[in-house]
Amino acid sequence: MSGRAILGALDLSLFKGETVALTGPSGVGKTTLLRTIAGLENSHSGTITTPPNTAMVFQEPTLLKWRSLADNLMIPLKISQEKAEHTLASVGLAGRGADFPTQLSLGQQRRLSLARAFAADPDLMLLDEPFVSLDDALADEMMGLFESLQAGSDIATLIVTHSEREAKRLASRVLVLSGSPAVLRP
Ligand SMILES: Nc1ncnc2c1ncn2[C@@H]1O[C@H](COP(=O)(O)OP(=O)(O)OP(=O)(O)O)[C@@H](O)[C@H]1O
């Protein structure tokens, strides 16, 4: 691809079970890095090794509006109705499988998107500012949900955040992406 390189030479390893926060100025390339790791961008050189199952959570919920809540879980994840119901119940939506995403508040949609990513049983979870533009109380609730979904798993997690509060609460390491082309520093 022509044009300037957004990312410079990067060396990043995540251990099983650890949560790493990725921060840095707006426009530096955090989303690009996440998308590159997820295999959604391929204009890079070098080697990226990811485990078999990677899940990505975006800022905005990515539910299919024309499908029921149960379908939103069962179709992409290929899981049973029973597991779909269990996932719905885990975010306070027990018995709502036949409803549609537009019948949920934005907060409920975001919680369901998060729970869906965990229900995919990933080895690597990539989250792009999943709690941005929520008030502190709702952000705390979402972080609590994140922690309970993550508890006991050995998922490696890379979470992009602008919030020091989020990074401190959720991550054991914080990396800063800066410069142009962008490089990582601890
Ligand atoms: N679809 C696109 N087409 C062209 N340039 C893009 C596109 N998406 C992003 N860019 C450019 O790539 C660079 C990195 O963008 P990216 O979204 O990765 O930054 P970011 O660090 O995630 O920013 P933010 O914190 O604001 O979300 C920016 O300079 C942006 O202008």
Side-chain angles (χ1 to χ4, degrees):
M1 198 175 82
S2 62
R4 79 187 168 90
I6 294 168
L7 302 175
L10 303 176
D11 185 2
L12 170 63
S13 301
L14 265 71
F15 299 101
K16 273 186 176 183
E18 81 165 336
T19 299
V20 175
L22 177 65
T23 182
S26 180
V28 75
K30 300 178 298 296
T31 297
T32 304
L33 177 57
L34 241 55
R35 290 177 54 83
T36 302
I37 296 169
L40 300 171
E41 304 276 354
N42 53 15
S43 53
H44 62 85
S45 54
T47 310
I48 298 172
T49 308
T50 52
N53 195 0
T54 299
M56 190 155 172
V57 177
F58 300 88
Q59 279 178 22
E60 294 310 320
T62 52
L63 303 171
L64 303 171
K65 290 190 167 41
W66 57 93
R67 290 286 192 173
S68 71
L69 302 185
D71 280 353
N72 265 281
L73 297 167
M74 288 159 58
I75 294 172
L77 303 180
K78 300 182 178 70
I79 57 171
S80 65
Q81 183 136 14
E82 193 186 351
K83 188 159 183 203
E85 281 299 336
H86 178 79
T87 302
L88 286 167
S90 75
V91 289
L93 294 170
R96 303 279 303 269
D99 286 358
F100 285 82
T102 47
Q103 292 170 269
L104 302 183
S105 71
L106 194 58
Q108 287 172 321
Q109 292 183 40
R110 290 174 86 147
R111 285 197 286 280
L112 186 56
S113 284
L114 188 64
R116 182 175 63 176
F118 277 95
D121 203 14
D123 311 292
L124 173 64
M125 179 79 89
L126 305 169
L127 302 108
D128 196 356
E129 299 191 70
F131 315 128
V132 75
S133 67
L134 300 176
D135 64 39
D136 280 358
L138 203 50
D140 279 340
E141 193 190 311
M142 283 286 288
M143 281 191 266
L145 174 65
F146 174 82
E147 287 166 331
S148 67
L149 291 165
Q150 194 188 39
S153 79
D154 61 0
I155 304 171
T157 302
L158 183 61
I159 179 167
V160 170
T161 176
H162 284 113
S163 158
E164 205 175 312
R165 205 171 71 94
E166 265 174 45
K168 273 202 177 122
R169 173 161 168 181
L170 301 176
S172 54
R173 271 198 293 157
V174 178
L175 298 174
V176 182
L177 193 64
S178 64
S180 178
V183 292
L184 285 172
R185 60 183 170 79

